[in-house]
Amino acid sequence: MRTFINYLLTITLFIAVIITISIFTIGNITSPNSTREILNSIDYDVVVNDFKDTDYGKEIYNYANSYGISEDRVDAILKTEDTKDYINEVLQKGIDAYLNDNNIEINEETKKFIDKANEKYELNLDNNEKNELETYANEVINDNFKFVINSSTAENESNNNQLLIDIIKFCRDDNLHITLYIIIGVIALLLFISSFKKKNFLEYIGIVSITVAISTLLFNGLMALISDRMSSAANASIILKPITNRFYTITFIGIIIGIVLLITQHFINKQVNKEVVPF
């Protein structure tokens, strides 16, 4: 009976851990680290060339040219890590505004970026030129953000977007995270108490660890299969990259921890068996 309870608790612990990983993954899909990973995966040569073909891109390049900054210089600046950091900050502002139905405010971030670029890359812009660039950049970003919002106002699409927003908000809730920690802790404690007599607690935790690792690896394979079936597979793989990287990390850590725990349990069992005096 005790063995049955232990395996039941082990299965429950596995389910709780998988749910926790899933919730954290969904909640962190819009985190600064995740969006930065996505930006790192993008081919910026393509992005910059596409940007130059847009009306606002042409306007930015015209401004730069009037300040004596060549097109090649602007290309080089747009591909720097500083620009990626700025874009990531703007993305976070946009995501926060979108999820919380707020207005996007990026004036401070734009000012810092232009000031830094002016000093670091010796652009020699005066205050009027910097203000002109800041104003136009802010207008462009706000206009594009409003366009994204307005394009999602169709009833069906709006309902789908609201559902996505609700799911992400739910998964980012700190109270939910604390509750999940408590549930996992309570289940682990019950399993420890139930398995204390046989001293095989580490065996059950090792099984959970390896099973979680295998599950995340299989889920990664499933996502790769789905990406291959999508028409925009390249974009899908870029968006899913933070998730797949995180799951590969979980797989590696889970297998290592599981193996270590099972080996440790093996030596514990040998020691316990030595202590048993045969009659």
Side-chain angles (χ1 to χ4, degrees):
M1 182 65 180
R2 188 178 295 273
T3 302
F4 171 76
I5 293 173
N6 289 346
Y7 277 112
L8 184 62
L9 287 170
T10 302
I11 293 170
T12 306
L13 182 60
F14 164 75
I15 294 171
V17 171
I18 286 293
I19 291 173
T20 301
I21 290 173
S22 301
I23 286 175
F24 269 92
T25 300
I26 296 171
N28 287 327
I29 198 170
T30 56
S31 70
N33 288 337
S34 294
T35 52
R36 192 63 169 84
E37 273 190 74
I38 292 172
L39 292 174
N40 289 339
S41 304
I42 294 174
D43 186 342
Y44 264 75
D45 288 328
V46 174
V47 172
V48 171
N49 287 332
D50 289 344
F51 175 72
K52 285 195 287 190
D53 290 335
T54 63
D55 291 336
Y56 44 87
K58 291 174 183 176
E59 194 66 24
I60 288 286
Y61 276 83
N62 287 336
Y63 274 121
N65 185 59
S66 68
Y67 306 148
I69 305 172
S70 67
E71 180 178 320
D72 291 341
R73 193 83 179 280
V74 178
D75 288 350
I77 293 172
L78 290 178
K79 297 174 187 177
T80 62
E81 294 300 312
D82 291 326
T83 301
K84 292 179 185 180
D85 289 338
Y86 168 67
I87 294 172
N88 198 38
E89 289 178 348
V90 171
L91 273 175
Q92 286 302 309
K93 290 280 187 177
I95 290 168
D96 181 68
Y98 187 69
L99 291 177
N100 298 297
D101 198 22
N102 295 329
N103 293 322
I104 182 171
E105 296 290 342
I106 45 102
N107 294 7
E108 189 64 29
E109 286 73 18
T110 304
K111 177 176 173 52
K112 286 180 181 178
F113 171 67
I114 291 177
D115 284 343
K116 186 175 183 178
N118 188 43
E119 181 180 352
K120 187 172 181 178
Y121 304 106
E122 300 178 350
L123 302 180
N124 300 319
L125 300 176
D126 60 34
N127 288 333
N128 288 333
E129 291 169 338
K130 287 193 294 182
N131 290 335
E132 195 174 35
L133 265 180
E134 288 169 20
T135 300
Y136 183 73
N138 289 331
E139 286 177 357
V140 166
I141 292 169
N142 276 290
D143 287 344
N144 277 275
F145 181 71
K146 289 175 183 176
F147 174 77
V148 171
I149 298 296
N150 293 334
S151 66
S152 303
T153 55
E155 185 174 352
N156 289 339
E157 191 169 349
S158 179
N159 291 337
N160 291 335
N161 289 338
Q162 187 57 50
L163 177 61
L164 179 61
I165 289 171
D166 290 341
I167 290 172
I168 293 175
K169 280 185 175 180
F170 174 78
C171 293
R172 290 173 67 169
D173 184 64
D174 289 336
N175 292 327
L176 174 63
H177 297 168
I178 293 171
T179 302
L180 290 170
Y181 287 142
I182 293 172
I183 290 172
I184 290 174
V186 169
I187 296 172
L189 179 61
L190 291 174
L191 183 58
F192 175 76
I193 294 171
S194 181
S195 60
F196 184 77
K197 186 176 181 180
K198 289 190 174 181
K199 296 182 175 58
N200 60 345
F201 172 71
L202 295 183
E203 177 183 346
Y204 295 114
I205 300 299
I207 291 172
V208 170
S209 183
I210 290 177
T211 309
V212 167
I214 294 172
S215 299
T216 54
L217 185 62
L218 292 175
F219 189 75
N220 257 351
L222 178 62
M223 286 198 298
L225 189 62
I226 292 172
S227 296
D228 290 340
R229 295 293 184 273
M230 294 175 70
S231 57
S232 56
N235 291 336
S237 62
I238 289 173
I239 294 171
L240 293 174
K241 186 175 178 59
I243 298 176
T244 56
N245 286 347
R246 196 165 288 117
F247 277 4
Y248 280 131
T249 302
I250 292 171
T251 298
F252 176 76
I253 293 174
I255 289 175
I256 295 299
I257 291 176
I259 291 173
V260 169
L261 291 177
L262 291 177
I263 291 174
T264 304
Q265 184 64 62
H266 172 72
F267 286 108
I268 290 174
N269 290 342
K270 287 180 68 174
Q271 189 63 35
V272 170
N273 291 334
K274 284 182 182 178
E275 293 173 359
V276 175
V277 179
F279 292 100

